[in-house]
Structures are given as structure tokens and as C-alpha cells.
């Protein structure tokens, strides 16, 4: 398909650039970037995501460490671990894979990570910098990866009407801010939709760019898309599928068959936003390392 935004290929392109920078860094006598991921419990999705991040780290020459803890870890113990990593000058970036068990306050943990090491971009300082258009912080990896994808394909955002469906702190909200900020993949007029939005179909039909981050498989259908719009599908819901070895497959928030008939460009699931999210994370970790050089 010639309207596909191929996240896998674009991600490999950026990974190569990152790997080149790392090898230059190392040949100049510096240690490579070091990313630590904390994984609590046995959630299947979390394990898969963290393993993919570790693999990507190895591929570009980063040091990737996974710290695994049982879901019986107390909040105090987890906070103490985060503080230990904050003080470790050999570690550049820290991510705590969400969700955490119910007895742990996710926000407290996220806000304990030093903003300079918060390569997920979830800390209030980094969110605040994003909102102010200050590029010195870290941008949440998924929205960052999407902007890298838009930039790679030279997709014009300036003056366009972008509709972001979803307002979560990790995807929809930062995405809407990025698209409206005055940067290369910004300057759009942005509408943010959520579960209370009325006439969602009519709003989406006005969009030149739609970003779907809802978490409902096949939610955005072709009938909601203007001819020629750019469609970015963030959704990754596991749905049962006996034909797959794992017994499930990933399903996006966009009904691909009907939407791709209308879209000028569209991301597939899998192979669209997912690989770009990891690239966004690698980008942030490299930035964190460079700050300390
Ligand atoms: P979330 O925190 O559950 O947020 C979902 C958003 O969708 C909320 O803002 C919600 O509105 C809105 N929504 C729910 N039902 C709606 C409806 N009927 N009409 C309009 N809006 C509706 O989810 P998330 O963390 O942003 O993730 C969204 C999806 O992206 C999930 O499938 C997730 O797995 C996936 N994801 C993928 C990646 C990747 O790398 N590909 C990364 C992160 C997330 P309210 O605020 O009103 O509740």
C-alpha cells in the first residue's frame, strides 16, 4: 500500500542514526547511554513492552537494564529504589513500566523520578516544559515518536486542523500540545476529543489529521474520516485470536480497511506508532546522556 506510514522502517532509520552517535560517543572515550526499566509484577503486556525496550537498547549500543520486582514490593521500597537510581551517575534514564499494583501510587512514583532522568516525560516538570514549548525537557515517547514519523514523511501540520481523540497524560494530551506548539510538526489548529465529546463523527470529519488514542478497537471508522486525511492509530488492544500462536493479536483504534480507503496516509497496527514509541524513548535517553557529557 502506498499510503502506509511505515513505523518499522522509519524507526530503523532513526535507530541507525542513534547507533552512529553512540559509537562516536564511545570512540571518544565516553560510556554509552544507560537506560534502566523497573518492572513490577507479572503483567504480560508490561513484560513484552519492557523486553522490546531492552532489545532496542542493545541494538543501538545503549546499556539496558531491567530491574524486576514482585507485585508484593511496597511503595516505600519502590520509592527507595527510584531514589537510588536518581543518585547513580552511571544511569541516564529511568522508566517505571505502568501499570503498577493498586497499593502503589503511580503518580507519586512518577514524580519521584528526577526530571533529568525522566525519559518517559511523565514528570510534572517535563509536562510543564512541553506545555510552555520549552524543548529542554523530555516529551512522552509516543507523541514524540509520532512527530518523528510525521517529520520523516514531510507531512505538513502547519495550519491544518488536527483532531486528537483521547486526552490521557501519556498520549492524547501531550500529542495535542505538540501539534499546537510552534515547532516543525506543530502549528496546527487542534481539537481534543474525549468520552464527553458530542458529535464526534462531525468533528472528526473536519480533521486534516486524526490521532486516535482511545483504546477501543476499530473505534474510528472510514465514515468518520475526510477524504485525504492523515490517520495516526495509537491504539494497541489485545484481542483474542485463535489463529495466532499467542492466542491474541494487537488491534488498533482505527478500522483499518474502511479508513485506509479514505486516508492519504495511515499507520498500521502493528508496525506504525508502536516502533516509533520505542524510538522516541531511545531519543530521550540519548538526550539525557548528552546532557551529562
Ligand atoms: P486512556 O488513558 O484509557 O485514555 C483513553 C482516552 O480515550 C480518554 O481520554 C477517554 O476519554 C477517551 N475515550 C474513551 N472512550 C471514548 C469515546 N467513546 N469517545 C471519545 N473518547 C473516548 O488510554 P491511553 O493510555 O491514552 O491509550 C490509548 C490507546 O493507545 C490504548 O489502546 C493503549 O494501549 C495505546 N497505546 C499505545 C502506545 C504505542 O506505543 N502504540 C503507547 C501508549 C498507549 P476520558 O478522558 O473522557 O475518559
Amino acid at each position: 500500500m502506498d499510503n502506509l506510514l511505515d513505523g518499522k522502517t522509519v524507526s530503523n532509520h532513526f535507530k541507525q542514526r542513534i547507533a552512529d552517535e553512540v559509537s562516536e560517543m564511545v570512540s571518544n572515550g565516553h560510556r554509552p547511554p544507560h537506560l534502566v526499566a523497573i518492572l513490577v509484577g507479572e503483567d504480560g503486556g508490561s513484560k513484552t513492552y519492557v523486553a522490546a525496550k531492552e532489545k532496542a537498547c542493545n541494538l543501538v549500543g545503549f546499556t539496558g537494564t531491567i530491574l524486576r520486582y514482585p507485585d508484593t514490593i511496597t511503595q516505600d521500597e519502590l520509592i527507595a529504589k527510584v531514589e537510588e537510581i536518581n543518585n547513580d551517575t552511571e544511569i541516564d534514564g529511568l522508566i517505571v513500566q505502568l501499570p503498577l499494583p493498586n497499593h502503589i501510587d503511580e503518580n507519586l512514583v512518577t514524580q519521584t523520578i528526577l526530571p533529568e532522568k525522566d525519559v518517559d516525560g511523565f514528570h510534572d516538570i517535563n509536562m510543564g516544559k512541553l506545555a510552555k514549548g520549552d524543548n529542554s525537557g523530555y516529551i512522552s515517547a509516543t507523541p514524540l515518536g509520532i512527530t518523528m514519523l510525521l517529520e520523516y514523511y514531510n507531512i505538513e501540520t502547519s495550519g491544518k486542523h488536527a483532531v486528537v481523540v483521547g486526552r490521557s497524560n501519556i498520549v492524547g494530551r501531550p500529542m495535542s500540545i505538540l501539534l499546537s506548539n510552534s515547532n516543525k510538526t506543530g502549528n496546527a489548529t487542534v481539537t481534543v476529543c474525549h468520552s464527553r465529546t458530542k458529535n464526534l463523527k462531525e468533528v472528526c470529519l473536519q480533521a486534516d489529521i486524526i490521532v486516535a488514542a482511545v483504546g477501543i478497537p476499530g473505534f474510528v471508522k472510514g465514515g468518520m474520516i475526510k477524504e485525504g486525511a492523515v490517520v495516526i492509530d495509537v491504539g494497541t488492544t489485545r484481542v483474542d485470536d485463535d489463529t495466532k500462536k499467542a492466542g491474541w493479536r494487537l488491534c488498533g483504534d482505527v478500522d483499518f480497511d474502511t479508513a485506509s480507503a479514505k486516508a492519504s496516509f495511515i499507520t498500521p497496527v502493528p508496525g506504525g506508532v508502536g516502533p516509533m514509541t520505542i524510538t522516541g524513548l531511545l531519543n530521550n535517553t540519548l538526550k539525557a546522556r548528552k546532557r551529562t557529557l
Side-chain angles (χ1 to χ4, degrees):
M1 277 178 69
D2 57 1
N3 65 345
L4 217 55
L5 296 172
D6 181 354
K8 247 185 184 167
T9 301
V10 180
S11 158
N12 287 337
H13 163 84
F14 283 109
K15 277 188 197 142
Q16 187 55 54
R17 280 206 343 206
I18 294 170
D20 291 346
E21 272 205 61
V22 173
S23 77
E24 197 187 329
M25 193 181 271
V26 172
S27 65
N28 286 335
H30 304 294
R31 67 161 176 80
H34 185 184
L35 175 68
V36 170
I38 290 184
L39 177 62
V40 179
E42 297 294 328
D43 180 75
S46 295
K47 280 182 172 175
T48 309
Y49 295 137
V50 168
K53 289 166 188 174
E54 185 186 34
K55 191 174 159 204
C57 280
N58 294 335
L59 201 74
V60 298
F62 288 7
T63 307
T65 305
I66 304 178
L67 300 177
R68 295 179 175 83
Y69 299 103
D71 57 13
T72 49
I73 189 171
T74 66
Q75 181 168 290
D76 287 350
E77 286 167 338
L78 187 58
I79 294 285
K81 196 67 217 170
V82 169
E83 283 169 345
E84 191 185 315
I85 294 168
N86 281 346
N87 294 322
D88 188 334
T89 54
E90 300 287 303
I91 297 170
D92 308 294
L94 169 62
I95 56 173
V96 178
Q97 188 66 42
L98 302 180
L100 291 170
N102 289 337
H103 66 277
I104 298 177
D105 179 346
E106 286 186 354
N107 189 51
L108 180 68
V109 174
T110 305
Q111 301 309 316
T112 304
I113 298 173
L114 209 62
E116 292 81 2
K117 296 194 181 191
D118 166 44
V119 288
D120 257 339
F122 296 166
H123 195 284
D124 290 354
I125 297 267
N126 287 317
M127 289 285 282
K129 284 186 173 181
L130 170 66
K132 289 177 78 176
D134 173 347
N135 291 326
S136 70
Y138 300 109
I139 298 164
S140 178
T142 301
L144 176 62
I146 292 171
T147 61
M148 291 164 84
L149 191 67
L150 295 173
E151 192 173 341
Y152 180 91
Y153 281 100
N154 285 317
I155 289 172
E156 184 62 80
T157 53
S158 180
K160 304 290 181 187
H161 182 198
V163 171
V164 179
V165 191
R167 57 178 168 184
S168 72
N169 286 333
I170 63 169
V171 189
R173 177 82 60 206
M175 189 73 241
S176 66
I177 296 170
L178 272 175
L179 284 164
S180 70
N181 277 354
S182 61
N183 45 43
K184 208 170 171 192
T185 46
N187 289 312
T189 304
V190 181
T191 304
V192 183
C193 299
H194 43 77
S195 63
R196 308 287 178 92
T197 298
K198 289 194 174 123
N199 309 324
L200 184 71
K201 181 179 175 186
E202 285 68 27
V203 176
C204 287
L205 276 167
Q206 292 169 25
D208 302 306
I209 300 166
I210 296 187
V211 180
V214 191
I216 303 174
F219 183 75
V220 176
K221 309 215 181 307
M224 297 163 74
I225 295 167
K226 184 168 80 175
E227 196 76 41
V230 175
V231 179
I232 307 292
D233 188 353
V234 184
T236 46
T237 306
R238 285 184 179 195
V239 296
D240 293 342
D241 186 342
D242 293 340
T243 67
K244 301 283 175 197
K245 202 173 149 203
W248 55 265
R249 67 187 155 85
L250 276 189
C251 201
D253 287 343
V254 175
D255 181 43
F256 187 83
D257 289 342
T258 56
S260 61
K262 292 281 207 59
S264 58
F265 288 106
I266 185 166
T267 59
V269 176
V273 172
M276 292 310 300
T277 294
I278 294 195
T279 304
L281 176 68
L282 295 175
N283 219 57
N284 281 344
T285 307
L286 180 64
K287 182 174 174 177
R289 176 68 184 114
K290 281 156 87 176
R291 293 182 69 253
T292 61
L293 285 178

